[in-house]
Amino acid sequence: MSAPNPEHYLRLAPHVCLRLLEEPFLYDRRADELYELNQEGLEALKKCRGHLTMEQVGLEPEFASVCLEEGLLELSPTPWPMPLALGPGPSPSLRYLELQITWRCNLACAHCYLGAAQKVDLGVKRVAAILREFEAMGGLRVMLSGGEPLMHPQWTEINALLAALPLRRVLLSNGLLLERALEGLNCDEVQISLDGLEAGHERLRGKGSFARAVAAAKAVKDSGRELSIATMVHAANLDQMAGLEELVRELGAGEWGIDAPCLSGRLGEHPELAVTPEQAVEAMSRAYGGAFHGGGDGMACGLHLATVAADGKVAQCGFYLDQPLGMAEEGLWTCWARRKAISLKDINGCRDCEAADDCGGGCRFRAPGPLEPDPVMCAAFGMEPKEEA
Ligand code: SF4
Ligand code: SF4
């Protein structure tokens, strides 16, 4: 690459933004990468708005070259000013938002934590207001889910809202309606659910659903978008995990999330699908890629995650809709401010656990009580869940 011309105008690439989270960050939504910045780096990048030349911005040359090579910054021979809205967000930061835009669904999966599908939808204006507020709060990634999000009666309008949204946009789908929706889909990533090979997947999701989900996953890749796969471990797919891993890798998924079931929603009617913590851990060890359920800084899971449900309830995640933080019309920030993060020090057994930093206390919903260890993660780290007085 030839040396950049110091008289050319420098600005952040369209897929890159600055965020004031717990620390200042540069976020590349295309790669879903967060780069921590020092104050000096932040001040210099704040000047990269297309109105100053590289010389005037005064970026450290090596740093500027790396950013240009990585496509994080762009140069133009003429000024190309861009706006920069950068305000401090809440603490803890809200980085990930699951938007259950509808509770309609075209399947009736045996493990669905929402239970029966319902004709309940978030209105388009409400979705627009939530997305605006989430962006202003410093959000990074919005996950459109359901139900089946493509069943939303105004999906076309919602998809149009996503076009100019400078966040990573992820669609969580069962894949059945996807092939038609892919053209013009304003999402960076599509996550398809695959709950086993044919027998295991269809045990939960019904006859004929497997081939269609696999075809949808292939179509996502062919469309040039990123593909991720989500799998629920259950008693009828345990024997298929090796074959499923081969398929997921062959499909080219950038991320494979494998989760252990929580006996909620419709799964409560199918206890025969439950697995032991040890079985779950063995299956989950095949997962790869990032996650957004995590905690950090000594706090338990979901530290930077919220869910807005189709009926407007805002909750800390989809499992806590019966204990909402509030309603979307009150404002996302208002609801988020009510969230009480759980310290690992308050969780019996976790407070003295030597794996606590790596484990983070597991899933608070899957744990037998909010202040009890998560047996699946205890099995993963070889810890005995401790009983405390
Ligand atoms: S391994 Fe078990 S006890 Fe240790 S932090 Fe994780 S959930 Fe808590
Ligand atoms: S309770 Fe479980 S599902 Fe909810 S954020 Fe925590 S890990 Fe995720």
Side-chain angles (χ1 to χ4, degrees):
M1 191 179 173
S2 56
N5 185 335
E7 286 170 14
H8 283 185
Y9 293 82
L10 196 58
R11 76 174 196 182
L12 299 172
H15 58 277
V16 164
C17 59
L18 295 172
R19 286 288 183 256
L20 299 179
L21 307 175
E22 278 68 11
E23 307 295 336
F25 286 99
L26 182 74
Y27 180 54
D28 177 350
R29 72 177 159 96
R30 211 165 55 187
D32 202 13
E33 283 282 355
L34 261 184
Y35 301 92
E36 193 174 333
L37 300 169
N38 58 23
Q39 204 53 40
E40 199 187 338
L42 174 69
E43 293 310 321
L45 287 171
K46 271 160 68 176
K47 293 189 213 155
C48 298
R49 282 181 279 136
H51 64 309
L52 297 176
T53 63
M54 194 166 149
E55 201 162 40
Q56 290 166 327
V57 168
L59 267 190
E60 205 260 302
E62 203 176 319
F63 179 60
S65 298
V66 172
C67 290
L68 286 165
E69 269 166 38
E70 296 288 324
L72 302 171
L73 291 174
E74 294 179 347
L75 277 175
S76 160
T78 51
W80 49 343
M82 61 178 275
L84 178 75
L86 183 66
S91 178
S93 53
L94 177 59
R95 304 180 186 188
Y96 313 110
L97 183 69
E98 182 202 9
L99 262 188
Q100 293 178 356
I101 57 172
T102 181
W103 283 343
R104 295 170 198 251
C105 196
N106 44 1
L107 288 178
C109 304
H111 67 310
C112 183
Y113 73 100
L114 287 173
Q118 298 174 55
K119 290 182 180 165
V120 178
D121 314 292
L122 269 178
V124 178
K125 282 190 181 149
R126 179 69 60 213
V127 172
I130 295 167
L131 291 175
R132 267 196 309 272
E133 200 179 358
F134 180 51
E135 186 195 340
M137 289 169 77
L140 304 180
R141 185 180 353 165
V142 62
M143 295 156 289
L144 295 125
S145 74
E148 168 53 48
L150 297 175
M151 295 281 287
H152 194 296
Q154 277 98 38
W155 168 252
T156 308
E157 287 90 327
I158 291 178
N159 186 45
L161 291 177
L162 302 177
L165 192 71
L167 310 175
R168 186 169 177 88
R169 304 145 305 171
V170 186
L171 179 73
L172 276 52
S173 173
N174 61 31
L176 298 196
L177 297 173
L178 192 64
E179 284 178 77
R180 229 178 18 193
L182 269 175
E183 196 180 333
L185 179 68
N186 296 317
C187 287
D188 307 284
E189 175 185 335
V190 180
Q191 183 184 94
I192 302 284
S193 299
L194 271 184
D195 292 317
L197 293 176
E198 187 168 1
H201 183 86
E202 296 194 356
R203 170 71 180 79
L204 298 192
R205 294 176 175 267
K207 207 152 180 42
S209 58
F210 177 74
R212 293 173 73 184
V214 172
K218 286 183 182 155
V220 170
K221 284 301 279 187
D222 291 347
S223 77
R225 292 178 184 82
E226 283 180 50
L227 169 72
S228 53
I229 299 288
T231 298
M232 184 62 75
V233 187
H234 58 89
N237 71 6
L238 284 174
D239 60 341
Q240 296 154 29
M241 294 309 289
L244 188 56
E245 179 170 6
E246 217 169 286
L247 174 63
V248 168
R249 290 187 185 272
E250 199 181 290
L251 286 169
E255 184 179 321
W256 185 20
I258 309 180
D259 215 349
C262 298
L263 281 184
S264 69
R266 228 187 254 124
L267 194 59
E269 299 158 24
H270 295 278
E272 75 281 3
L273 292 171
V275 294
T276 65
E278 290 72 22
Q279 288 171 322
V281 167
E282 195 187 329
M284 287 161 72
S285 66
R286 298 177 188 273
Y288 60 84
F292 53 87
H293 292 253
D297 297 331
M299 308 305 279
C301 69
L303 187 61
H304 303 293
L305 167 70
T307 290
V308 181
D311 63 355
K313 285 198 188 84
V314 180
Q316 59 194 73
C317 79
F319 283 119
Y320 287 92
L321 294 179
D322 60 344
Q323 299 164 52
L325 302 169
M327 298 300 292
E329 61 257 36
E330 296 177 83
L332 198 55
W333 199 314
T334 303
C335 295
W336 180 248
R338 296 183 184 132
R339 186 186 187 279
K340 302 230 178 328
I342 298 177
S343 164
L344 295 185
K345 289 201 174 75
D346 293 331
I347 304 176
N348 296 324
C350 299
R351 74 169 64 88
D352 302 317
C353 175
E354 59 202 53
D357 285 348
D358 295 327
C359 167
C363 174
R364 287 300 85 220
F365 187 83
R366 196 168 50 207
L371 299 180
E372 301 299 322
D374 170 2
V376 173
M377 294 314 281
C378 290
F381 285 93
M383 299 289 163
E384 279 291 316
K386 281 186 211 151
E387 297 283 335
E388 290 191 19

